[in-house]
Amino acid sequence: MAANEASLPPDGRRARPGGARSPPPGPGHEHPCTGQCLSARSRSRPPPPCCPPTARDLPQGGRLAALLLVVLAWVPGGAPACPALCTCYVSPPTVSCQANNFSSVPAGLPPGARRLFLQNNVIRALRAGTFGPSTVTLWLYSNNISSIQPGTFRHLPALEELDLGDNPHLRVLAPDTFHGLRRLQALHLYRCQLASLPSGIFRGLHSLQYLYLQENGLLYLQDDLFADLANLSHLFLHGNRVRALSEGVFRGLPSLDRLLLHANRLVAVHRRAFRGLSRLTILYLFNNSLAALPGDPLAALPALQFLRLNANPWACDCRARPLWAWFRRTRVSSSPVPCASPPHRRGTDLRHLRPQDFDACPEEDEEEEEEEEEEEEKDEGGGGGGAVAVVGTPGRALGRPGTLPAAPPSAFYRDGLPPHDLRGSQPRPPPPSRDSRGPPGDDVPLAAAPRLAPALLSLLALLLPDL
């Protein structure tokens, strides 16, 4: 039988007359050498030539080479490369390139990245087509951005947070800079050098809940600037140079909960400036140049809980009576309201004035009060056919299916001020460090992400039983 086996061709099939080989065994038929192979290996004898090789038949070097191939297969095949000097993570897909002295956005950003951290560089310009449509979070704060090409953010339908703050060379924004960002929930434009904002710049941002405009050089806020922001809950405007609040400046903000206007140059507030802010709970007007609030503008704020009016030159004469009367009929947690004039009342808290302090003042115009009441009833009763009704928590609008629920303040509340303390900014949550092992939770660096090609899986199954 050994002679017969030696005469077999290498593939183990007997040759037909004329040199033709027999066809391969069909379904249900065993290989002609199967029994011989098993018998020889069970007795530790050399297998016949017709037996397929296994890892045991390979030399030691061949086994090591095969194992090396398996180990190399552990690196994700086909995964997009991570830009140089950046760190990439798999879950969620994240690219972290902060603090690398980049003067432009690095090339080769993975198109499927959901979080892009590019802060603390020296990036000068943003161009259209740079960011992928899967981007959800984009941090570009603390750069040298001075120009944003039209269309840079137009094709980012998933974007929820955009941080362009602390870019001191950013002085002008085009009216359509943020158009199309229908899912945007937080927009950071703090500490830039914006002297004005074009009308319509926030048009269509129906999901926006947090808007940071503090510490710019804004000189004025035009009517209806925020009219499309029906879900906005936090509006930060402190640290600018705004001198007056007009009648329609906050129109269209039925969900607004927090309005920070301190450290401006306010000298005048229209008596209807706060009309429609029925959910406002926190208002800060301290450190301005207000001497009076004529026409009782605070009466339009039924939900107000925290108010700060200190560090203003309040005139505690007849002009103070509307504000004094408002304090007498409301229960609001307020800062002191020290009088600056007249001299004999300087230092007295306006809230603690007595009724006889206004005996010499003329009666208020009753007709004006009746007119204001009629206008309020008209606003509450029927008008506003195009207004968006808001129910539930701020950020959830009625009649717009798919509107995102209100995000928790901790998710985006950076540089804002909590109700109990407005003296300092809140710390920014740090993004993943280049030297760390990766973000907590399910975030895994790309280099350690397991993914095996099917062919190499077969090789591994062949090698492991015999090693």
Side-chain angles (χ1 to χ4, degrees):
M1 183 168 179
N4 291 335
E5 291 178 357
S7 64
L8 290 174
D11 59 2
R13 301 170 192 161
R14 293 187 181 273
R16 291 183 178 179
R21 295 178 181 175
S22 60
H29 295 81
E30 292 186 351
H31 194 282
C33 291
T34 299
Q36 303 172 37
C37 297
L38 293 175
S39 176
R41 291 197 175 103
S42 64
R43 298 178 182 179
S44 300
R45 295 178 180 176
C50 62
C51 296
T54 66
R56 185 177 297 176
D57 301 321
L58 295 175
Q60 188 68 22
R63 297 185 195 181
L64 293 176
L67 284 176
L68 180 59
L69 288 174
V70 173
V71 172
L72 290 176
W74 207 261
V75 178
C82 192
L85 302 179
C86 300
T87 303
C88 297
Y89 303 89
V90 169
S91 179
T94 301
V95 181
S96 182
C97 302
Q98 74 270 23
N100 278 308
N101 207 34
F102 288 123
S103 60
S104 61
V105 177
L109 293 175
R114 297 186 61 199
R115 300 190 303 177
L116 298 178
F117 299 136
L118 294 160
Q119 69 275 16
N120 294 311
N121 286 290
V122 289
I123 297 171
R124 299 185 181 91
L126 301 179
R127 306 189 183 282
T130 302
F131 309 109
S134 300
T135 306
V136 174
T137 301
L138 179 55
W139 287 4
L140 289 157
Y141 64 86
S142 299
N143 276 281
N144 288 338
I145 297 171
S146 60
S147 66
I148 300 175
Q149 187 179 39
T152 296
F153 307 118
R154 187 167 299 160
H155 301 293
L156 303 180
L159 193 64
E160 295 180 3
E161 184 181 12
L162 175 60
D163 194 336
L164 292 165
D166 194 23
N167 278 284
H169 301 288
L170 187 59
R171 301 179 179 180
V172 178
L173 292 173
D176 61 347
T177 299
F178 307 116
H179 286 188
L181 299 180
R182 297 181 180 179
R183 296 192 61 182
L184 192 67
Q185 297 182 40
L187 177 58
H188 304 258
L189 291 168
Y190 56 90
R191 286 198 292 275
C192 298
Q193 292 295 323
L194 300 171
S196 63
L197 295 168
S199 298
I201 189 169
F202 305 122
R203 185 173 300 154
L205 302 184
H206 301 301
S207 298
L208 196 67
Q209 298 176 40
Y210 301 87
L211 180 55
Y212 300 81
L213 293 168
Q214 70 267 29
E215 299 179 39
N216 278 283
L218 295 174
L219 299 172
Y220 64 92
L221 302 168
Q222 60 268 41
D223 285 354
D224 299 314
L225 180 63
F226 311 109
D228 261 11
L229 308 183
N231 284 312
L232 194 71
S233 63
H234 291 60
L235 179 55
F236 299 147
L237 289 163
H238 51 284
N240 285 289
R241 294 185 286 172
V242 179
R243 296 181 60 83
L245 300 178
S246 58
E247 178 179 1
V249 63
F250 300 123
R251 188 157 40 217
L253 297 175
S255 299
L256 196 63
D257 175 79
R258 188 165 306 188
L259 178 58
L260 307 188
L261 287 159
H262 56 280
N264 274 279
R265 300 181 182 180
L266 290 173
V267 296
V269 176
H270 194 279
R271 65 185 184 184
R272 299 190 188 96
F274 303 130
R275 181 161 297 180
L277 304 184
S278 59
R279 297 192 175 196
L280 193 72
T281 64
I282 299 173
L283 174 63
Y284 294 138
L285 290 165
F286 66 91
N287 196 14
N288 278 287
S289 300
L290 294 169
L293 290 177
D296 201 3
L298 301 181
L301 304 174
L304 193 64
Q305 299 177 21
F306 301 95
L307 175 67
R308 286 193 64 177
L309 296 172
N310 54 297
N312 281 288
W314 296 108
C316 291
D317 49 23
C318 294
R319 291 173 289 177
R321 184 163 62 178
L323 181 57
W324 169 80
W326 179 82
F327 273 115
R328 284 172 60 90
R329 65 177 184 266
T330 57
R331 300 185 65 180
V332 173
S333 177
S334 170
S335 67
V337 189
C339 301
S341 64
H344 64 280
R345 292 180 182 163
R346 184 174 299 162
T348 304
D349 195 317
L350 182 149
R351 300 172 299 171
H352 301 155
L353 296 177
R354 301 163 300 172
Q356 53 265 35
D357 292 329
F358 302 101
D359 286 346
C361 298
E363 294 296 326
E364 294 182 355
D365 192 344
E366 296 182 0
E367 293 183 0
E368 182 177 335
E369 291 182 1
E370 292 177 358
E371 181 182 346
E372 290 184 8
E373 291 177 0
E374 291 178 0
E375 290 179 358
E376 289 179 4
E377 292 176 359
K378 187 184 300 182
D379 291 341
E380 296 174 359
V388 179
V390 179
V391 296
T393 58
R396 187 167 296 169
L398 181 67
R400 193 161 54 244
T403 300
L404 296 173
S410 61
F412 302 120
Y413 193 60
R414 303 196 305 268
D415 300 299
L417 300 170
H420 60 278
D421 185 4
L422 291 187
R423 292 171 294 179
S425 61
Q426 298 301 296
R428 181 186 301 275
S433 170
R434 289 183 58 227
D435 299 326
S436 70
R437 296 181 180 178
D442 296 331
D443 290 15
V444 180
L446 277 176
R451 187 188 301 171
L452 295 178
L456 291 172
L457 281 173
S458 302
L459 177 60
L460 181 63
L462 177 66
L463 292 172
L464 290 181
D466 295 298
L467 292 177

